[in-house]
Amino acid sequence: MSPVAWVDNDTSGNKLPNVLIVNPGNGVTQTNLSRYQHRTQPGALKCTCSSDSPWSSNDARLVLEDGSVWPGVSFGAKGTTVREVVFNTSLTGYQEIMTDPSYAGQSVVFTVPHIGNVGINSDDVESKECALGGVIVRSLSSRVSNYRSTSSLDAYLKQQNVVGIAEVDTRALTLRLRDKGALVGVISTDASLSDEQLVEQAKSWSIEGLDMISEVTCEKSYEWKDPSIPEWDFAGVQKEDPLHVVAYDFGIKHNILRRLASHGCRITVVPASTPADEVKSLNPDGIFFSNGPGDPSAVPYAVENAKQLLGEVPVFGICMGHQVLGQAFGGKTFKLKFGHHGGNHPVAYLATGRVEISAQNHNYAVDPSTLPDGVEVTHINLNDGTCAGMACPEKMAISLQYHPEASPGPHDSDPVFQEFVDMMLSKK
Amino acid sequence: LKVPEDDVRVARKGLGVIPSMKRVDTCAAEFEADTPYMYSTYEPGESESRPESSKKVLILGGGPNRIGQGIEFDYCCCHASFSLREIGYDTIMLNSNPETVSTDYDTSSRLYFEPLTVEDVLNVIEVERPEGIIVQFGGQTPLSLATRLQAALEELQIPAASGEGMVKIWGTQPDAIDAAEDRERFEALLNELGIKQPPGGIARSQEEALVIAKRLSYPVMVRPSYVLGGRAMEIVYDDANMERYITTAVEVDPEKPVLVDKYLNNAVEIDVDALCDQYGGVVIGGIMEHIEQAGVHSGDSACSIPSQTIPEESLATIREWTPALARALGVVGLLNIQYAVQEGQVYIIEANPRASRTVPFVSKAIGHPLAKYASLAMAGQSLEEIGLTEEVVPTHVSVKEAVLPFSKFPGADVLLGPEMRSTGEVMGIDADFSMAYAKAQISAGQSLPTDGTVFLSMNDQNKERCIPLAEKLLENGFKLVATEGTAAALKAGGVTAVTPVLKIHEGRPNIGDMIKSDGIQMIVITSSGDSLDAVDGRALRRSALSNEVPLVTTVAGAVATVDAIHAIKSGKKIEMQALQDFFEDA
C-alpha cells in the first residue's frame, strides 16, 4: 500500500492528504476521514476511529448551506439545530456571549480556539438563558480553572439545551464565512441523518424576515433588580432620587440595566410589544430601546411604537434599538455580509474625533442615506464606515449600533449612559 | 524511541504529515491581511504562506536571549536583512524570539516565527525554497544546525524558487565550520600554517584529563567542546579541582570530549573580527585588546580599539595569521579569532567562523557596518565592490565595557572568570584611552571615586602585580588599606603607606565594618579561589555590591580604572560627541 493516497482538495485546490493512523500492534490503519478533514462535497459520514484510539470520535457534524460538512466532537446538548452561523472574535467573555439574547436564531463560532477554560458562573449571564442554537469551537477546555466557576460549559449547555461541536477548524470556517457571508448551518449529533438531508435543512431555512424578538422578550413587565453581586459591576453612582427609565425588552442584556442603574436610574422593563400609550402612562423620564435578535425590518410594531414615543421624552437605543429608531425616523436598515461580532471594533465619535474600541454584535445596519434631515450620524465604524450611532436633538434621541455596556468588551463607551442621564435631567 | 531525528522526519513526510503555514493576521481572519508573519502548525486546512518565486535569502536568527547569545547577533541578522533587501533580495527571517528587532514583521520581507531546529528550518526551506541560507549571524544556535542542514540539502536537492540554482547554505560552508571547531582538524591546520597554539590536549575521560594536565602542568583551562559563552569553562589549579570539575561540571565521553589547555598566565587577550569574500579577499575589521587578562571570558571583559599595549611585532603576527587562517578555512562572511599575547609571543586560542558579539562594537568603532558587508560578500560581492579592502585603524579610542547583572542576583559571587556572565555592554569613545575607559565605566553604572580610601586584597598570584597599582593610587591621593598578606607584600615592595585591616573572619573591626560605614570608596580584590575565599571573599564582594562601592576584580581593570580616575582628576571634561561625528562621511 502506498503510504500516501491523495483525496480531496482544500479550498485552494491543493490536494489534502489522507492521514494514516498507526495503531501499535495492528500495523497501519487507513481512514477515509481524518477527524479534522472537511469535505466540499456532501457524502455519507464514515467515522471510523477505533475504540483503542485515545481521542474521542467525531459524533457531530456542522453542515452549511453551501454543502460543506465539518465533522467534530459533540458537547453540551444532543440534537439537531438549524441556525444562521456567525463568528465572534472576542478573546474573552464566552458566557456573556452565549447568554446574549441577540444571538437567538444563530449559532456562534468562536475564533478564539480555547473555550470553556473558566467554566460558568452565576453572575456573568446577560440574560436568564441561552438563546443561541449552537456553539462551534476549536477546542473545548478539558479543565475548568477559575475560582468563580460553578459549572462546566459542557454541563451548562446540556442544561440549556444548546448543541455544541468542538474540534472544528474554526479558522477555515471563519475564512469561509468571511468570503461567503453568514451561512445557514445545521449542527447535528443525529447519525441517522445523511449529509444530504442536513444540507437540505440548511438550505431551506432563513433568518430574514423572522421576528426573533417575540421569542426572547419578557412575558410581562418588571422592575429591574440586579441578581448579581455588586462587586462585579464597575464604578457607579447610586442616586437618592433615581430617574425612571422604561426599557423595551427586545432581548435586553442585563449589563445595560446595570449600567443604567449605576448611573442613577430605576428601570421598568416592558415586553417588546407594549403599546406606546401604556409606556407613556408609566411616566418615564426616558425610554430605552434595547438590543435584540433578528431582522429589524421584521418588527414593524416596535417601529410604530417608537414613532409615537419620539419627542415625548428623551430616548436612547442600543443595537436593535438603534435600528428600530432609525426606521422610526423614516430610514431603512440593510443586512451586513457577516455582521460585526467582537470586542475590538474601532468607532469614531465624529464630534470630537475620539476613537473608542467597542464591543459589537449585530448583523444589520442603518443606511444613513435614508435618514431625514434633523437626524445626524454621530459615530462611524472605522473598519467599514458603517453608521455606528446617530442623534436627533430635536426629538431628544440618541442611539448606538454597538454595545457601550460591553459584557464582554471594553468600557470606552460607558460615558454614553451618563449622556442619557444628563439628557433626562435637563428635561425634568 | 531511540530513533534518530532524521529517520522520524523521513517517516513523517512519507506519511504525508506536513505542517501548514498560518499567518498571524491580528484579526482572527475577519479581514484579508497580508501581514507576512507566519508560523507552522500540524493542522489541516489551507497553508496561508503563498510563497513567491523571487530571489530569496533565509536568515536564521539567534533564538531566545540568554547570556552569551544576546542582541549583538540580532543586530547582525537585522543588518543582513536590510542590506540584502537593498540589493533586491526578499529576506526571510526565521527566529523564535518575540523580543527582538529581527522578529518585527517589517524588518524582513517575511517572518517565520519558528524554533531553530533542523526540522523546523527544513519545513520552511521546503515551502519557501530560498536560494541562500545564512547560518552565521545568529551565533552558535543556528551555526550548530549547519552540518545537518547541509546533509539534508544535499540529499533533498531542492531547486530555488527563483529558478536560479539549488537551495544552499551561503557563506562559510559547514565543513569549514567543523574544521575550525573540531579540535584535531584545527590543530592540524594550525600546524600547517605555522600558527602557534597554547599546548593542550583532548580528554575523553577523567583519567585522560589528569594525564594531560600533568603533562601541561597546572594551571590549565578546561572546557567542553562546542560551547557558547564559555559555559562550564574553568581554570583549574590542581588535581583535586580537576576531579571535581570532571565529575560535576561536565559530561565527558568519547562523543563529547573536554579540551584541556595550558592556561597562559598574565597574557593579554585579543579579539579580531575579519571580513572575507569568496575570492580570497580578507580584511580585518578590528583588533581589540582586552583589558582583563586572559582567563576572563571575552564577553565579560572591557576591550579597546585600537589596542593600547600590544607591541607592533605581535600586531604584525596577528595581521599575518588572520588572513592566512581565513583563506585556509575558506571563510566567506565573518570570522572571529581570539589570540593571547604572553611576553610578546602570540598564541591562537580559538577561531569562530561566524559573526561574533563584538561585530556591532567594531562596526561602530570603525564606522563600517561589517554585518551588512558580510551579507553582501555572501551574496557574491568582492571586497572591492563592497568598499572595504583595508583595515581601518581609528584615531579615536573606543572602549567596550560589559554590564554585569550581579545586583539582580542576591547571593551570586561577583568574580569574573571564563564562564560568561555579562548581560549587556556599553561603549565609551574619546580621543584618549583613559577618558574613553572612564566614559565606558560611567555608562556601565560603575561610579569612579576621585578621592578616599581604596581597599586592596590580592591573591598570591597577584600580590606583586599590585605594587605599581598601589603606587598609582597613592599618587592620585588615595589612602590605602589592605589585608595582612597584601599589606606585607606591598611593604616589601616599597609601598609603606598602607594600613592593614582585618578580614571578616579575623575579628572586629574588620573590612566589612569599614565598607558598611562608608569608609571605603573603591575595592580592588582578586580571589584566591580557595574555600575560605568562597565564603569570606564572597561576602566581602557582595557587601561592596550592596553598599554600592565600586569593585574591581582584576588588576588590569584596576590599572585602567586608576588611569581613568587620573584623567578625570586632571581636569579633563567628559564631553559627549555623537557617534557619527567621529567619521567624516557618516
Side-chain angles (χ1 to χ4, degrees):
Chain A
M1 158 171 62
S2 85
V4 178
W6 301 97
V7 300
D8 257 359
N9 301 328
D10 66 14
T11 50
S12 343
N14 300 316
K15 288 204 181 263
L16 283 171
N18 253 346
V19 174
L20 292 174
I21 298 175
V22 180
N23 284 322
N26 293 354
V28 176
T29 308
Q30 182 166 7
T31 58
N32 260 342
L33 181 69
S34 89
R35 59 195 294 253
Y36 300 114
Q37 196 175 24
H38 68 269
R39 295 164 301 171
T40 52
Q41 307 303 320
L45 174 70
K46 287 196 270 287
C47 176
T48 58
C49 297
S50 68
S51 57
D52 53 346
S53 49
W55 48 79
S56 34
S57 34
N58 290 340
D59 56 347
R61 286 164 288 171
L62 164 69
V63 178
L64 299 178
E65 62 177 303
D66 71 347
S68 62
V69 178
W70 308 70
V73 173
S74 81
F75 67 100
K78 300 257 185 263
T80 301
T81 172
V82 55
R83 298 281 193 276
E84 180 183 60
V85 178
V86 295
F87 62 86
N88 188 309
T89 61
S90 293
L91 290 177
T92 58
Y94 59 80
Q95 182 172 354
E96 292 91 320
I97 292 168
M98 290 180 193
T99 50
D100 182 347
S102 302
Y103 282 110
Q106 296 176 320
S107 289
V108 177
V109 181
F110 288 89
T111 59
V112 166
H114 203 58
I115 297 289
N117 36 3
V118 294
I120 294 285
N121 63 65
S122 50
D123 294 314
D124 288 346
V125 289
E126 286 300 300
S127 72
K128 292 207 223 42
E129 49 192 34
C130 294
L132 80 185
V135 165
I136 300 143
V137 305
R138 169 66 186 82
S139 169
L140 176 70
S141 180
S142 53
R143 283 175 187 259
V144 170
S145 181
N146 187 278
Y147 72 101
R148 296 167 71 212
S149 172
T150 53
S151 159
S152 72
L153 179 60
D154 180 33
Y156 179 67
L157 291 182
K158 274 192 172 68
Q159 185 252 327
Q160 290 287 318
N161 200 30
V162 175
V163 180
I165 180 172
E167 304 298 327
V168 172
D169 184 348
T170 47
R171 186 171 174 88
L173 183 53
T174 304
L175 282 165
R176 180 172 294 245
L177 294 172
R178 170 186 101 197
D179 287 337
K180 295 195 175 183
L183 297 173
V184 176
V186 187
I187 309 175
S188 179
T189 55
D190 188 347
S192 71
L193 296 171
S194 72
D195 289 347
E196 291 86 359
Q197 286 173 300
L198 294 175
V199 175
E200 256 324 292
Q201 249 196 322
K203 280 189 174 149
S204 49
W205 192 93
S206 171
I207 197 170
E208 294 190 50
L210 284 188
D211 171 11
M212 304 295 315
I213 291 177
S214 45
E215 312 252 332
V216 299
T217 189
C218 55
E219 285 184 10
K220 47 194 206 335
S221 58
Y222 62 94
E223 185 93 8
W224 164 250
K225 287 270 180 291
D226 191 349
S228 68
I229 310 171
E231 186 187 344
W232 305 128
D233 194 7
F234 51 102
V237 165
Q238 291 308 321
K239 284 212 167 52
E240 300 271 294
D241 179 23
L243 295 161
H244 183 209
V245 173
V246 171
Y248 268 103
D249 179 3
F250 299 142
I252 194 167
K253 286 171 69 187
H254 285 182
N255 215 46
I256 295 175
L257 295 161
R258 283 190 208 104
R259 296 315 301 142
L260 286 169
S262 284
H263 282 271
C265 307
R266 66 174 177 90
I267 309 114
T268 307
V269 182
V270 300
S273 53
T274 308
D277 288 333
E278 200 176 312
V279 169
K280 281 188 223 176
S281 72
L282 292 171
N283 264 327
D285 294 311
I287 301 172
F288 178 73
F289 294 85
S290 84
N291 63 295
D295 185 346
S297 63
V299 286
Y301 58 86
V303 176
E304 191 47 48
N305 288 327
K307 272 190 195 156
Q308 291 177 37
L309 292 166
L310 274 170
E312 301 279 329
V313 281
V315 304
F316 178 31
I318 286 179
C319 203
M320 172 62 77
H322 161 90
Q323 290 157 355
V324 163
L325 286 173
Q327 293 173 87
F329 290 132
K332 288 204 179 348
T333 59
F334 64 98
K335 192 168 199 269
L336 299 167
K337 188 170 181 190
F338 47 81
H340 300 153
H341 312 276
N344 64 350
H345 291 244
V347 168
Y349 178 34
L350 297 174
T352 62
R354 180 175 131 108
V355 174
E356 294 165 0
I357 305 298
S358 66
Q360 310 223 340
N361 179 16
H362 51 266
N363 299 278
Y364 301 81
V366 172
D367 181 353
S369 66
T370 60
L371 293 171
D373 290 337
V375 180
E376 61 204 22
V377 171
T378 53
H379 295 71
I380 55 167
N381 182 315
L382 290 172
N383 279 339
D384 61 4
T386 50
C387 169
M390 57 191 181
C392 180
E394 194 206 317
K395 300 253 167 86
M396 302 176 289
I398 55 171
S399 67
L400 294 177
Q401 178 65 77
Y402 57 98
H403 289 269
E405 82 285 358
S407 287
H411 300 162
D412 294 12
S413 310
D414 195 70
V416 70
F417 290 101
Q418 189 57 45
E419 205 184 309
F420 180 45
V421 162
D422 290 341
M423 263 171 68
M424 291 189 284
L425 286 172
S426 70
K427 300 292 179 200
K428 251 178 104 83
Chain B
L1 286 179
K2 298 205 195 315
V3 173
E5 184 186 322
D6 293 340
D7 288 2
V8 174
R9 182 165 47 83
V10 169
R12 164 176 72 76
K13 288 177 63 186
L15 293 174
V17 178
I18 53 173
S20 66
M21 302 297 173
K22 304 285 187 186
R23 280 186 195 241
V24 177
D25 61 11
T26 73
C27 63
E30 189 170 0
F31 307 105
E32 252 189 71
D34 259 329
T35 329
Y37 184 171
M38 251 111 20
Y39 66 99
S40 73
T41 175
Y42 287 92
E43 277 277 297
E46 199 186 323
S47 191
E48 299 173 22
S49 58
R50 302 189 288 274
E52 316 255 3
S53 49
S54 49
K55 290 193 324 174
K56 323 173 191 177
V57 182
L58 174 65
I59 303 171
L60 301 185
N65 282 358
R66 45 221 187 270
I67 289 177
Q69 178 90 29
I71 210 92
E72 297 93 338
F73 296 115
D74 207 68
Y75 163 104
C76 296
C77 291
C78 291
H79 272 230
S81 183
F82 299 148
S83 72
L84 290 169
R85 281 179 98 175
E86 263 171 44
I87 60 167
Y89 284 90
D90 274 350
T91 54
I92 304 168
M93 188 70 70
L94 196 162
N95 200 357
S96 58
N97 185 346
E99 292 299 303
T100 56
V101 179
S102 68
T103 49
D104 283 357
Y105 60 81
D106 44 6
T107 293
S108 310
S109 317
R110 280 184 173 217
L111 168 66
Y112 278 86
F113 201 81
E114 288 290 287
L116 285 146
T117 67
V118 172
E119 182 154 18
D120 294 290
V121 173
L122 283 173
N123 284 339
V124 173
I125 291 174
E126 283 171 335
V127 168
E128 290 283 345
R129 297 188 288 132
E131 49 207 70
I133 303 167
I134 295 183
V135 303
Q136 57 169 272
F137 283 157
Q140 196 70 19
T141 306
L143 199 74
S144 55
L145 305 177
T147 311
R148 289 175 55 210
L149 277 178
Q150 180 82 336
L153 289 174
E154 268 160 26
E155 201 188 302
L156 295 169
Q157 291 294 317
I158 305 174
S162 62
E164 292 174 34
M166 309 295 274
V167 176
K168 60 184 189 309
I169 292 178
W170 269 10
T172 315
Q173 292 300 290
D175 187 61
I177 296 170
D178 189 64
E181 305 208 330
D182 178 298
R183 178 55 177 257
E184 278 159 354
R185 284 183 72 182
F186 191 51
E187 232 181 86
L189 187 59
L190 293 177
N191 285 335
E192 211 183 292
L193 294 170
I195 297 178
K196 274 193 88 108
Q197 221 187 358
I202 306 179
R204 292 193 166 79
S205 68
Q206 183 174 333
E207 298 73 39
E208 270 185 42
L210 289 166
V211 164
I212 296 172
K214 191 155 177 178
R215 168 167 63 84
L216 300 173
S217 86
Y218 288 103
V220 294
M221 176 86 87
V222 274
R223 56 183 154 159
S225 34
Y226 277 87
V227 290
L228 186 78
R231 279 213 59 215
M233 255 217 276
E234 215 177 287
I235 306 172
V236 174
Y237 292 93
D238 54 42
D239 277 347
N241 275 304
M242 176 65 86
E243 280 167 22
R244 176 198 47 81
Y245 177 83
I246 296 282
T247 47
T248 61
V250 284
E251 274 176 57
V252 192
D253 60 50
E255 293 284 317
K256 299 177 214 122
V258 156
L259 307 175
V260 183
D261 291 316
K262 176 77 190 141
Y263 171 58
L264 298 165
N265 239 328
N266 296 323
V268 181
E269 199 166 317
I270 307 278
D271 243 292
V272 178
D273 280 323
L275 173 67
C276 320
D277 65 23
Q278 290 178 353
Y279 313 102
V282 179
V283 64
I284 289 180
I287 299 179
M288 292 157 267
E289 175 180 343
H290 287 272
I291 292 172
E292 277 79 2
Q293 69 271 18
V296 170
H297 193 278
S298 52
D300 280 356
S301 68
C303 69
S304 90
I305 296 179
S307 59
Q308 299 296 312
T309 69
I310 307 295
E312 271 306 313
E313 281 156 20
S314 305
L315 289 174
T317 309
I318 289 170
R319 289 186 170 116
E320 188 196 309
W321 285 356
T322 303
L325 185 57
R327 287 183 192 111
L329 284 172
V331 174
V332 177
L334 290 168
L335 173 67
N336 170 265
I337 304 182
Q338 281 164 29
Y339 296 97
V341 179
Q342 188 190 47
E343 283 153 20
Q345 174 62 54
V346 184
Y347 298 91
I348 191 170
I349 306 289
E350 66 182 56
N352 292 304
R354 55 166 172 79
S356 74
R357 71 178 59 81
T358 45
V359 166
F361 168 65
V362 175
S363 303
K364 288 170 186 159
I366 65 172
H368 286 272
L370 291 175
K372 288 190 178 176
Y373 293 173
S375 65
L376 296 175
M378 289 195 265
Q381 292 189 8
S382 68
L383 292 180
E384 284 78 20
E385 283 174 274
I386 292 168
L388 182 70
T389 50
E390 274 184 37
E391 183 185 343
V392 172
V393 181
T395 48
H396 56 271
V397 180
S398 306
V399 172
K400 177 213 94 167
E401 175 61 287
V403 174
L404 297 160
F406 300 130
S407 57
K408 308 269 196 254
F409 293 98
D413 201 349
V414 307
L415 289 177
L416 299 179
E419 189 164 336
M420 182 172 165
R421 284 181 295 161
S422 92
T423 51
E425 62 188 42
V426 297
M427 186 174 173
I429 317 176
D430 201 270
D432 157 80
F433 171 74
S434 301
M435 285 308 284
Y437 186 81
K439 285 180 180 173
Q441 288 304 309
I442 295 169
S443 318
Q446 178 85 299
S447 59
L448 296 176
T450 45
D451 48 44
T453 308
V454 178
F455 168 66
L456 299 168
S457 172
M458 299 285 123
N459 58 15
D460 293 331
Q461 286 96 7
N462 283 308
K463 284 196 166 62
E464 279 186 21
R465 289 182 66 203
C466 126
I467 293 167
L469 169 65
E471 284 167 354
K472 271 197 188 190
L473 283 165
L474 287 170
E475 273 165 39
N476 278 287
F478 288 96
K479 295 208 199 50
L480 297 178
V481 300
T483 50
E484 199 185 314
T486 305
L490 286 172
K491 288 201 170 132
V495 179
T496 48
V498 55
T499 316
V501 66
L502 295 175
K503 291 187 195 169
I504 292 178
H505 69 275
E506 286 172 349
R508 309 296 284 272
N510 57 39
I511 182 59
D513 298 322
M514 276 192 86
I515 292 173
K516 285 205 193 97
S517 56
D518 289 333
I520 303 285
Q521 278 60 53
M522 187 160 78
I523 298 179
V524 181
I525 182 168
T526 58
S527 162
S528 50
D530 60 28
S531 50
L532 189 60
D533 175 78
V535 173
D536 214 41
R538 184 198 178 99
L540 194 60
R541 290 184 284 272
R542 290 296 315 183
S543 173
L545 199 63
S546 38
N547 286 289
E548 290 177 20
V549 178
L551 174 67
V552 186
T553 56
T554 61
V555 173
V559 172
T561 304
V562 179
D563 287 339
I565 292 172
H566 179 79
I568 294 173
K569 284 184 73 140
S570 64
K572 279 210 192 130
K573 279 196 65 182
I574 298 180
E575 280 180 17
M576 295 303 136
Q577 199 170 338
L579 180 64
Q580 293 85 337
D581 292 343
F582 282 98
F583 305 105
E584 283 162 9
D585 51 4

